[in-house]
Amino acid sequence: MKKQLIEHSLPSLKDAAKRSKEQTKIVVEDLKPSSRLLEYAKNKRYFVRTYGCQANVVDSEMIEGILQELGFIPCDDPIKSDLVILNTCAIRENAEDKVFGEVGSLKRLKDQNKEALIGLCGCMVQQTHIVEKVKQSYPQVDLIFGTHNIYRLPILLDEAIFSERRIIEIYSKEGEVIEGVPLVREDKIKAFVNIMYGCDKFCTYCIVPYTRGKQRSRRVSDILVECQELVRQGYQEITLLGQNVNAYGKDLDENLSFASLLEAVAKTGIPRLRFTTSHPWDFTREMFDVIAKYDNVMPCIHLPLQSGSDDVLRRMGRRYTSAEYKALVDELKKMIPDIALTTDIIVGFPNETDDDFEKTLEMVHYCHYDSAFTFIYSPRIGTPGAKMKDETPFEVKKARFERLVKAVEEEASKRALRYVGNVYDVLVEGSSKKKDDILSGYTETLKLVNFKGSQDLIGKIVKVKILESHTFSLIGEVAENG
Ligand code: 5AD
Ligand code: SF4
């Protein structure tokens, strides 16, 4: 029999697009789980699958934090679990297709264990058409909750389990900052720390400002407490996370800049500090100074280009020209000579011409990126881009994409050559699955290095001499005792 539905709230892209001038509200979460839920969760197993970006990784760490506090225990096989949660991504259509594939295959879980629950959360379910599709065609999903609703999981789970109905709760409000949600980190060496949520840029191709709401910053004090605790626990690396970290603090009355936050976190003494993502538009002089001044701020910047054509950039709503982007890159390289630059590039934005695309290639060769994430444009329902007419056939986009990948690889290979013969600090993260004496780690510039060494080097920063370079990785040997 089909379960009945309880719809607390459904998503609305229109509401999600609203932005008020109000300052960010900080709410400290204090939801008490019911005793029947605590009783139920004892020895029940859960599995969380994370799709998409690092923001989702942190959200999943919160989901796991909540579940473990309730008494659920982690399980690495969805089919053997009592609760499966898929934390989804909406950035491109292929990300959504993967999720539907997995939801389909989870029917098997229900056949085996009628009591098992399946939950769907994350960016995908912030979209009306997706929720409608799940409601109609995927009855195996018991609980759907949005990116703003994670902290309410104890309430929603209680209802889904004991009412035996399908529960949907998706807020499309601008959003607040919720503090105090427990979090379990899977990685013991590197940690992601959210410094802000949402995005106000509304680039015309992007669904993120709708799925994640208004740009809102966490208080410096909350961020510092979290980072200090990570240092105390022996973490070697922190990455400060936000859709556009350079805009940090603009929504707080303290009027703090990202540069001052970066400096404060650098002073905690964390061995390695990174941040992502930077929008070229908000990059300040003050930031250059902090990156150059502190040795523990890694010389590695992710600076999404998206396109090298001024016309396409304008239609994307990116707020910079290719000349401005080049000037920023020139200055970064002047201030921090060994800096590694990475980027995101989209090909096939509506009506991108051959000439536009050539300008993107030109830019790849000008900036000498160390690596780049490359994408074929995927129209997202509700964004301005999706309403633009597009005459370019898919085969043309595909051919451009292949040329772009080649250009990126060519530049990355050339850049990788500079490492050969030199010694670098490598943070060792683990060993090869096949050979446990082959270790892998990253340089300060985020280049992957494989080398021979003993397992006790994992979690340490080791000097490694580079012997060989490949496009996206290096091979080396320990230069001195780690
Ligand atoms: N189609 C293709 N790529 C996209 N990105 C964002 N939205 C889309 C889209 N609709 C890319 C951008 C962004 C990265 C995270 O994903 O390059 O920087
Ligand atoms: Fe999307 Fe642009 Fe915001 Fe990045 S800055 S999340 S691309 S809208």
Side-chain angles (χ1 to χ4, degrees), residues 91-92 205-207 302 304 306 318 344-346 373 375-380:
I91 201 95
R92 284 169 292 276
Y205 50 82
C206 188
I207 194 73
H302 187 65
Q306 313 300 3
R318 289 293 288 177
D344 293 342
I345 300 172
I346 300 175
F373 296 105
F375 312 104
I376 295 182
Y377 171 70
S378 167
R380 306 284 67 212

Side-chain angles (χ1 to χ4, degrees), residues 65 81 102 109 147 149 155 189 202 229 294 377 388 397 432:
S81 301
E102 179 149 26
L109 170 65
T147 55
N149 306 73
I155 308 286
I189 303 168
F202 288 99
E229 177 57 20
Y294 288 89
Y377 171 70
M388 294 178 191
K397 297 188 181 193
S432 150

